[in-house]
Amino acid sequence: HRPRLLALAALVAVAGLFTAALPAQAGAAETVRPFADEEDTGADCPVPDPGSTPASSLLPDPFTRIDGTRVSTREDWRCRRAEIREQAERSVYGQKPAPPAGVTGTVSRTGITVNVTDQGRSSSFSASVSLPSGSGPFPAVVVLGGMGADTATINAAGAAVINFDPYAVGREGTPRNNKSGAFYSIYGSNSGTGLLMAWSWGVSRIIDVIEQSDGSILRANATGVTGCSRFGKGAFVAGAFDERIALTMPIESGTAGVPIFRGVAQESGAQPLSSAYSEQPWLGDAFGSFTGSPANLPVDTHQIVGMIAPRGLFIMENPHVDWLGSQSGAVGALGGAEVYRALGAGSNISYWSDVQDGNHCAVRPEWRAPLQQSIQAFLRGSGSGPGVIRVSPREPADLSRWRNWQTPVLTSGGEDPGGEDPGEPTGACTATHRT
Ligand code: MCU
């Protein structure tokens, strides 16, 4: 039986390589799917009532379920992710409603219109489109809020840019009990859901419209999302809460974005949790009871990174502005990268904070090549992602100081794991390349 076993092992290994590299749905045996057809593949998972979780100043173990057992296979991640999703909605961002009863709209070469009906109410918004040269159909990157995203490079890489104004679905400058925008017109101005989740809902509804279109202009199943600063927070949440998004690229997102909550609370100069909570209703109302005690949070942002795994993710941070908490950003990325490694998709996540220009939301030459490579790999199906963790020596990060759990070796379908070996944990790390 040995040669057959070897052949099988080789096949599994090759399949593993392909899934890590290709955004398209590969063979039936695949377990690592770089994106899904559904917004939430874990909607059917049983999620027990978490009750109250014990306080911990360290990062919660992403691999331990609410009932205390640990995940052991890659397939287990789908329902473990559903638990994290539920906890994150309850304590951090507020509820993202299930897909609405009705979504209609249009896709043209210059714009997208979206009409949503749910719970007997309706609202609409639109976004403009700028296509790359060529005939298409094209993959697309939803750019939240315009600033900081290198739209010229996105177009040059062959992807359309969808310019989405998040304020159309969730305005800033309102009190928490009188939120407004297309999301709140449907779900209520006193909804406890924060703006970041409302924005993420807007991105999901744009994807619904692309899916319904005839596919002649924009390809369904080839959508990315990006944005800088407050819109980096939004891009991060959008990618985490819609599994159809194949590539997530948050830029300089700061507190309420990628940086771990437990970290920004201690990082000198970083925006305090209470400040991010009160500056705008970005986070859900429920987060108000955690601003002074992040140790009580049942989740932290490394698990939100884990919700994106194994899909394409490129986290960009600026270590020159203390307010942005990039050290905590690196810990969020490194902690979440452990989920990618466990799923055999370690090269699908990249982190890059080693940049020269200190200006917040500058368009940076250092990010051009990895951005282009990410679009090629995750939206166009050619080659693999950059797979680089490049932490600025200005803001070195040490994951080991933040965790007391180890990353399990997850099995897949009863076979040997087909992807890459988890290898050594990434600890203190400056300018480490991983491929
Ligand atoms: C990094 O994102 C925010 C930050 O949280 C705010 O405190 C600051 O006012 O604005 C940043 C931003 O969105 O800059 C454009």
Side-chain angles (χ1 to χ4, degrees):
H1 293 308
R2 214 184 159 105
R4 257 169 66 189
L5 263 180
L6 274 177
L8 184 68
L11 229 145
V12 170
V14 168
L17 283 176
F18 268 97
T19 40
L22 281 178
Q25 294 99 322
E30 299 317 337
T31 52
V32 176
R33 300 191 65 213
F35 63 82
D37 301 324
E38 291 164 79
E39 182 175 347
D40 177 14
T41 63
D44 64 320
C45 291
V47 177
D49 184 344
S52 66
T53 40
S56 168
S57 57
L58 298 178
L59 296 176
D61 179 358
F63 304 102
T64 294
R65 298 186 184 89
I66 290 172
D67 72 3
T69 61
R70 275 197 121 209
V71 300
S72 57
T73 72
R74 291 181 185 173
E75 291 74 17
D76 287 343
W77 184 252
R78 182 177 72 85
C79 285
R80 172 59 187 142
R81 179 184 176 280
E83 294 187 344
I84 294 169
R85 193 243 305 130
E86 184 67 28
Q87 290 179 311
E89 288 188 1
R90 284 189 201 200
S91 58
V92 180
Y93 304 108
Q95 221 72 40
K96 184 182 194 186
V103 179
T104 60
T106 55
V107 175
S108 78
R109 302 181 71 82
T110 55
I112 295 177
T113 62
V114 183
N115 312 299
V116 187
T117 305
D118 202 16
Q119 303 184 356
R121 299 185 190 148
S122 305
S123 65
S124 311
F125 61 96
S126 60
S128 69
V129 170
S130 88
L131 296 180
S133 55
S135 55
F138 303 103
V141 176
V142 181
V143 175
L144 275 67
M147 72 192 181
D150 186 351
T151 52
T153 297
I154 294 171
N155 275 163
V161 169
I162 299 173
N163 280 296
F164 169 50
D165 173 10
Y167 299 153
V169 300
R171 280 190 247 302
E172 292 190 340
T174 69
R176 285 189 174 272
N177 61 6
N178 196 24
K179 302 186 187 86
S180 71
F183 177 88
Y184 300 102
S185 310
I186 295 181
Y187 300 104
S189 59
N190 60 356
S191 160
T193 297
L195 299 183
L196 303 182
M197 191 64 104
W199 300 348
S200 115
W201 175 90
V203 174
S204 293
R205 306 299 61 96
I206 289 173
I207 295 172
D208 294 343
V209 172
I210 297 172
E211 279 183 338
Q212 291 171 16
S213 72
D214 67 6
S216 63
I217 300 170
L218 298 181
R219 283 171 47 208
N221 285 349
T223 310
V225 63
T226 192
C228 185
S229 205
R230 64 197 63 199
F231 306 121
K233 310 181 207 293
F236 180 54
V237 175
F241 288 86
D242 192 328
E243 294 181 73
R244 296 171 299 181
I245 294 175
L247 175 60
T248 303
M249 300 181 287
I251 307 168
E252 304 182 32
S253 58
T255 303
V258 176
I260 55 169
F261 296 117
R262 285 164 174 79
V264 285
Q266 296 176 20
E267 186 174 340
S268 148
Q271 180 170 26
L273 297 175
S274 57
S275 162
Y277 180 73
S278 59
E279 183 177 337
Q280 297 292 341
W282 291 317
L283 293 164
D285 294 1
F287 192 80
S289 49
F290 297 100
T291 55
S293 53
N296 290 336
L297 281 167
V299 289
D300 213 314
T301 58
H302 65 304
Q303 288 157 286
I304 312 305
V305 170
M307 285 179 67
I308 302 174
R311 293 171 288 130
L313 176 59
F314 177 28
I315 296 167
M316 290 158 268
E317 296 277 2
N318 174 355
H320 301 276
V321 179
D322 290 347
W323 190 248
L324 297 172
S326 76
Q327 199 157 27
S328 299
V331 179
L334 293 173
E338 295 303 308
V339 176
Y340 276 83
R341 292 198 311 126
L343 295 177
S347 64
N348 289 358
I349 179 172
S350 290
Y351 173 92
W352 194 309
S353 63
D354 191 11
V355 294
Q356 294 304 311
D357 187 341
N359 290 311
H360 183 38
C361 295
V363 170
R364 303 169 190 286
E366 294 96 332
W367 291 339
R368 204 175 294 142
L371 167 60
Q372 215 143 16
Q373 194 179 338
S374 297
I375 290 171
Q376 293 294 341
F378 301 112
L379 300 184
R380 305 190 65 195
S382 126
S384 53
V388 58
I389 303 284
R390 187 158 163 163
V391 181
S392 164
R394 289 179 63 97
E395 293 282 11
D398 182 3
L399 176 62
S400 67
R401 186 168 98 60
W402 287 100
R403 66 164 173 173
N404 57 5
W405 41 268
Q406 291 306 313
T407 301
V409 176
L410 300 180
T411 57
S412 185
E415 302 286 350
D416 283 342
E420 44 194 91
D421 185 81
E424 283 303 303
T426 318
C429 167
T430 50
T432 301
H433 288 264
R434 183 171 43 216
T435 39

mmCIF file of all heavy atoms in Angstrom, residues 147 167 172 228-233 251-256 271 275-276 279-280 282 323-324 360-361, ligand 1:
data_model
loop_
_atom_site.group_PDB
_atom_site.id
_atom_site.type_symbol
_atom_site.label_atom_id
_atom_site.label_comp_id
_atom_site.label_asym_id
_atom_site.label_seq_id
_atom_site.Cartn_x
_atom_site.Cartn_y
_atom_site.Cartn_z
ATOM 1 N N MET A 147 -9.448 58.250 1.313
ATOM 2 C CA MET A 147 -8.070 58.639 1.637
ATOM 3 C C MET A 147 -7.149 57.464 1.955
ATOM 4 O O MET A 147 -7.569 56.464 2.516
ATOM 5 C CB MET A 147 -8.073 59.584 2.816
ATOM 6 C CG MET A 147 -8.414 58.894 4.102
ATOM 7 S SD MET A 147 -8.723 60.129 5.349
ATOM 8 C CE MET A 147 -9.054 59.075 6.722
ATOM 9 N N TYR A 167 -20.124 57.009 5.181
ATOM 10 C CA TYR A 167 -21.068 57.875 5.889
ATOM 11 C C TYR A 167 -22.478 57.774 5.297
ATOM 12 O O TYR A 167 -23.452 58.148 5.962
ATOM 13 C CB TYR A 167 -20.585 59.325 5.882
ATOM 14 C CG TYR A 167 -19.249 59.537 6.576
ATOM 15 C CD1 TYR A 167 -18.407 60.583 6.221
ATOM 16 C CD2 TYR A 167 -18.836 58.684 7.605
ATOM 17 C CE1 TYR A 167 -17.184 60.784 6.856
ATOM 18 C CE2 TYR A 167 -17.623 58.876 8.244
ATOM 19 C CZ TYR A 167 -16.795 59.928 7.863
ATOM 20 O OH TYR A 167 -15.588 60.120 8.498
ATOM 21 N N GLU A 172 -21.061 59.930 10.936
ATOM 22 C CA GLU A 172 -20.374 60.313 12.164
ATOM 23 C C GLU A 172 -21.057 61.550 12.741
ATOM 24 O O GLU A 172 -21.899 62.177 12.100
ATOM 25 C CB GLU A 172 -18.894 60.597 11.881
ATOM 26 C CG GLU A 172 -18.138 59.337 11.488
ATOM 27 C CD GLU A 172 -16.632 59.526 11.443
ATOM 28 O OE1 GLU A 172 -16.164 60.669 11.351
ATOM 29 O OE2 GLU A 172 -15.932 58.506 11.500
ATOM 30 N N CYS A 228 -8.087 53.622 4.998
ATOM 31 C CA CYS A 228 -7.056 54.076 5.941
ATOM 32 C C CYS A 228 -7.670 54.763 7.145
ATOM 33 O O CYS A 228 -8.662 55.479 7.033
ATOM 34 C CB CYS A 228 -6.097 55.041 5.239
ATOM 35 S SG CYS A 228 -4.710 55.519 6.309
ATOM 36 N N SER A 229 -7.027 54.561 8.276
ATOM 37 C CA SER A 229 -7.397 55.237 9.522
ATOM 38 C C SER A 229 -8.773 54.780 9.992
ATOM 39 O O SER A 229 -8.983 53.577 10.126
ATOM 40 C CB SER A 229 -7.341 56.752 9.289
ATOM 41 O OG SER A 229 -7.129 57.411 10.496
ATOM 42 N N ARG A 230 -9.732 55.684 10.224
ATOM 43 C CA ARG A 230 -11.054 55.192 10.652
ATOM 44 C C ARG A 230 -11.631 54.256 9.608
ATOM 45 O O ARG A 230 -12.369 53.324 9.920
ATOM 46 C CB ARG A 230 -11.987 56.363 10.934
ATOM 47 C CG ARG A 230 -12.312 57.231 9.748
ATOM 48 C CD ARG A 230 -12.881 58.560 10.182
ATOM 49 N NE ARG A 230 -11.908 59.318 10.969
ATOM 50 C CZ ARG A 230 -12.217 60.323 11.785
ATOM 51 N NH1 ARG A 230 -13.453 60.718 11.903
ATOM 52 N NH2 ARG A 230 -11.274 60.951 12.467
ATOM 53 N N PHE A 231 -11.256 54.476 8.351
ATOM 54 C CA PHE A 231 -11.753 53.587 7.290
ATOM 55 C C PHE A 231 -10.924 52.302 7.207
ATOM 56 O O PHE A 231 -11.348 51.329 6.586
ATOM 57 C CB PHE A 231 -11.792 54.330 5.959
ATOM 58 C CG PHE A 231 -12.578 55.620 6.055
ATOM 59 C CD1 PHE A 231 -11.983 56.839 5.760
ATOM 60 C CD2 PHE A 231 -13.887 55.611 6.487
ATOM 61 C CE1 PHE A 231 -12.694 58.026 5.881
ATOM 62 C CE2 PHE A 231 -14.610 56.794 6.619
ATOM 63 C CZ PHE A 231 -14.018 58.005 6.314
ATOM 64 N N GLY A 232 -9.747 52.320 7.836
ATOM 65 C CA GLY A 232 -8.980 51.087 8.010
ATOM 66 C C GLY A 232 -9.650 50.199 9.050
ATOM 67 O O GLY A 232 -9.710 48.973 8.909
ATOM 68 N N LYS A 233 -10.175 50.841 10.100
ATOM 69 C CA LYS A 233 -10.962 50.086 11.083
ATOM 70 C C LYS A 233 -12.146 49.431 10.365
ATOM 71 O O LYS A 233 -12.474 48.265 10.584
ATOM 72 C CB LYS A 233 -11.516 51.016 12.183
ATOM 73 C CG LYS A 233 -10.527 51.964 12.862
ATOM 74 C CD LYS A 233 -11.220 52.815 13.941
ATOM 75 C CE LYS A 233 -10.580 54.174 14.216
ATOM 76 N NZ LYS A 233 -9.277 54.201 14.820
ATOM 77 N N ILE A 251 -5.422 49.814 6.543
ATOM 78 C CA ILE A 251 -4.240 50.681 6.577
ATOM 79 C C ILE A 251 -4.307 51.574 7.826
ATOM 80 O O ILE A 251 -5.313 52.256 8.053
ATOM 81 C CB ILE A 251 -4.191 51.583 5.322
ATOM 82 C CG1 ILE A 251 -4.295 50.754 4.031
ATOM 83 C CG2 ILE A 251 -2.918 52.427 5.316
ATOM 84 C CD1 ILE A 251 -4.556 51.602 2.772
ATOM 85 N N GLU A 252 -3.247 51.565 8.620
ATOM 86 C CA GLU A 252 -3.095 52.500 9.750
ATOM 87 C C GLU A 252 -4.398 52.659 10.530
ATOM 88 O O GLU A 252 -4.882 53.767 10.756
ATOM 89 C CB GLU A 252 -2.585 53.851 9.239
ATOM 90 C CG GLU A 252 -1.273 53.707 8.456
ATOM 91 C CD GLU A 252 -0.696 55.032 7.973
ATOM 92 O OE1 GLU A 252 -0.882 56.044 8.657
ATOM 93 O OE2 GLU A 252 -0.047 55.039 6.909
ATOM 94 N N SER A 253 -4.951 51.521 10.973
ATOM 95 C CA SER A 253 -6.322 51.535 11.504
ATOM 96 C C SER A 253 -6.412 52.010 12.960
ATOM 97 O O SER A 253 -7.462 52.482 13.380
ATOM 98 C CB SER A 253 -6.937 50.141 11.366
ATOM 99 O OG SER A 253 -6.162 49.168 12.040
ATOM 100 N N GLY A 254 -5.358 51.891 13.721
ATOM 101 C CA GLY A 254 -5.370 52.408 15.100
ATOM 102 C C GLY A 254 -6.394 51.730 15.995
ATOM 103 O O GLY A 254 -7.001 50.700 15.632
ATOM 104 N N THR A 255 -6.591 52.323 17.158
ATOM 105 C CA THR A 255 -7.492 51.760 18.165
ATOM 106 C C THR A 255 -8.897 51.577 17.585
ATOM 107 O O THR A 255 -9.430 52.475 16.952
ATOM 108 C CB THR A 255 -7.537 52.689 19.390
ATOM 109 O OG1 THR A 255 -6.202 52.855 19.875
ATOM 110 C CG2 THR A 255 -8.425 52.115 20.494
ATOM 111 N N ALA A 256 -9.468 50.401 17.810
ATOM 112 C CA ALA A 256 -10.742 49.938 17.231
ATOM 113 C C ALA A 256 -10.536 49.306 15.856
ATOM 114 O O ALA A 256 -11.486 48.865 15.213
ATOM 115 C CB ALA A 256 -11.815 51.018 17.146
ATOM 116 N N GLN A 271 -4.039 55.754 21.081
ATOM 117 C CA GLN A 271 -5.369 56.275 21.410
ATOM 118 C C GLN A 271 -6.021 55.380 22.459
ATOM 119 O O GLN A 271 -6.193 54.169 22.250
ATOM 120 C CB GLN A 271 -6.262 56.329 20.160
ATOM 121 C CG GLN A 271 -7.657 56.882 20.495
ATOM 122 C CD GLN A 271 -8.511 57.193 19.266
ATOM 123 O OE1 GLN A 271 -8.338 56.602 18.192
ATOM 124 N NE2 GLN A 271 -9.455 58.120 19.448
ATOM 125 N N SER A 275 -11.226 56.920 24.526
ATOM 126 C CA SER A 275 -11.200 57.973 23.505
ATOM 127 C C SER A 275 -11.800 57.462 22.192
ATOM 128 O O SER A 275 -12.634 58.131 21.574
ATOM 129 C CB SER A 275 -9.759 58.438 23.296
ATOM 130 O OG SER A 275 -9.614 59.130 22.081
ATOM 131 N N ALA A 276 -11.396 56.265 21.774
ATOM 132 C CA ALA A 276 -11.928 55.711 20.519
ATOM 133 C C ALA A 276 -13.423 55.436 20.652
ATOM 134 O O ALA A 276 -14.191 55.596 19.699
ATOM 135 C CB ALA A 276 -11.187 54.432 20.143
ATOM 136 N N GLU A 279 -15.027 59.132 20.691
ATOM 137 C CA GLU A 279 -14.783 60.087 19.598
ATOM 138 C C GLU A 279 -15.902 60.028 18.554
ATOM 139 O O GLU A 279 -16.412 61.048 18.099
ATOM 140 C CB GLU A 279 -13.428 59.816 18.951
ATOM 141 C CG GLU A 279 -13.100 60.832 17.847
ATOM 142 C CD GLU A 279 -11.725 60.650 17.225
ATOM 143 O OE1 GLU A 279 -10.818 60.060 17.863
ATOM 144 O OE2 GLU A 279 -11.548 61.115 16.082
ATOM 145 N N GLN A 280 -16.285 58.831 18.195
ATOM 146 C CA GLN A 280 -17.387 58.572 17.257
ATOM 147 C C GLN A 280 -17.988 57.240 17.662
ATOM 148 O O GLN A 280 -17.294 56.399 18.234
ATOM 149 C CB GLN A 280 -16.881 58.471 15.806
ATOM 150 C CG GLN A 280 -16.253 59.736 15.245
ATOM 151 C CD GLN A 280 -17.258 60.866 15.052
ATOM 152 O OE1 GLN A 280 -18.467 60.643 15.006
ATOM 153 N NE2 GLN A 280 -16.750 62.095 14.948
ATOM 154 N N TRP A 282 -18.014 54.472 16.614
ATOM 155 C CA TRP A 282 -17.443 53.434 15.747
ATOM 156 C C TRP A 282 -17.725 52.035 16.303
ATOM 157 O O TRP A 282 -18.130 51.130 15.579
ATOM 158 C CB TRP A 282 -15.922 53.627 15.643
ATOM 159 C CG TRP A 282 -15.479 54.841 14.891
ATOM 160 C CD1 TRP A 282 -15.998 55.319 13.710
ATOM 161 C CD2 TRP A 282 -14.393 55.719 15.232
ATOM 162 N NE1 TRP A 282 -15.301 56.442 13.323
ATOM 163 C CE2 TRP A 282 -14.315 56.702 14.221
ATOM 164 C CE3 TRP A 282 -13.481 55.766 16.287
ATOM 165 C CZ2 TRP A 282 -13.361 57.719 14.233
ATOM 166 C CZ3 TRP A 282 -12.530 56.768 16.296
ATOM 167 C CH2 TRP A 282 -12.475 57.735 15.285
ATOM 168 N N TRP A 323 -0.085 57.577 18.292
ATOM 169 C CA TRP A 323 -1.547 57.485 18.426
ATOM 170 C C TRP A 323 -2.107 56.232 17.741
ATOM 171 O O TRP A 323 -3.155 55.713 18.117
ATOM 172 C CB TRP A 323 -2.153 58.749 17.796
ATOM 173 C CG TRP A 323 -3.608 58.990 18.018
ATOM 174 C CD1 TRP A 323 -4.588 58.937 17.055
ATOM 175 C CD2 TRP A 323 -4.272 59.356 19.238
ATOM 176 N NE1 TRP A 323 -5.811 59.248 17.613
ATOM 177 C CE2 TRP A 323 -5.641 59.509 18.954
ATOM 178 C CE3 TRP A 323 -3.827 59.565 20.555
ATOM 179 C CZ2 TRP A 323 -6.584 59.861 19.921
ATOM 180 C CZ3 TRP A 323 -4.770 59.915 21.520
ATOM 181 C CH2 TRP A 323 -6.128 60.056 21.201
ATOM 182 N N LEU A 324 -1.367 55.742 16.716
ATOM 183 C CA LEU A 324 -1.875 54.615 15.922
ATOM 184 C C LEU A 324 -1.609 53.254 16.561
ATOM 185 O O LEU A 324 -2.082 52.231 16.067
ATOM 186 C CB LEU A 324 -1.255 54.650 14.514
ATOM 187 C CG LEU A 324 -1.623 55.905 13.702
ATOM 188 C CD1 LEU A 324 -0.808 55.965 12.406
ATOM 189 C CD2 LEU A 324 -3.121 55.920 13.391
ATOM 190 N N HIS A 360 0.468 60.290 8.281
ATOM 191 C CA HIS A 360 -0.677 59.378 8.420
ATOM 192 C C HIS A 360 -1.408 59.283 7.078
ATOM 193 O O HIS A 360 -1.750 60.293 6.481
ATOM 194 C CB HIS A 360 -1.589 59.939 9.520
ATOM 195 C CG HIS A 360 -2.769 59.093 9.852
ATOM 196 N ND1 HIS A 360 -2.732 57.717 9.890
ATOM 197 C CD2 HIS A 360 -4.041 59.438 10.184
ATOM 198 C CE1 HIS A 360 -3.923 57.259 10.239
ATOM 199 N NE2 HIS A 360 -4.731 58.282 10.407
ATOM 200 N N CYS A 361 -1.644 58.053 6.638
ATOM 201 C CA CYS A 361 -2.367 57.787 5.383
ATOM 202 C C CYS A 361 -1.636 58.255 4.127
ATOM 203 O O CYS A 361 -2.266 58.516 3.093
ATOM 204 C CB CYS A 361 -3.785 58.361 5.403
ATOM 205 S SG CYS A 361 -4.859 57.589 6.631
HETATM 206 C C1 MCU B 1 -6.668 56.142 13.249
HETATM 207 O O1 MCU B 1 -7.999 56.546 13.039
HETATM 208 C C2 MCU B 1 -8.526 57.735 13.548
HETATM 209 C C3 MCU B 1 -8.268 57.901 15.027
HETATM 210 O O2 MCU B 1 -8.857 56.813 15.713
HETATM 211 C C4 MCU B 1 -8.864 59.215 15.505
HETATM 212 O O3 MCU B 1 -8.566 59.454 16.866
HETATM 213 C C5 MCU B 1 -8.422 60.386 14.699
HETATM 214 O O4 MCU B 1 -9.211 61.504 15.046
HETATM 215 O O5 MCU B 1 -8.644 60.138 13.369
HETATM 216 C C6 MCU B 1 -8.022 58.990 12.814
HETATM 217 C C7 MCU B 1 -8.441 59.064 11.383
HETATM 218 O O6 MCU B 1 -9.436 58.541 10.974
HETATM 219 O O7 MCU B 1 -7.690 59.943 10.672
HETATM 220 C C8 MCU B 1 -8.088 60.281 9.396
#
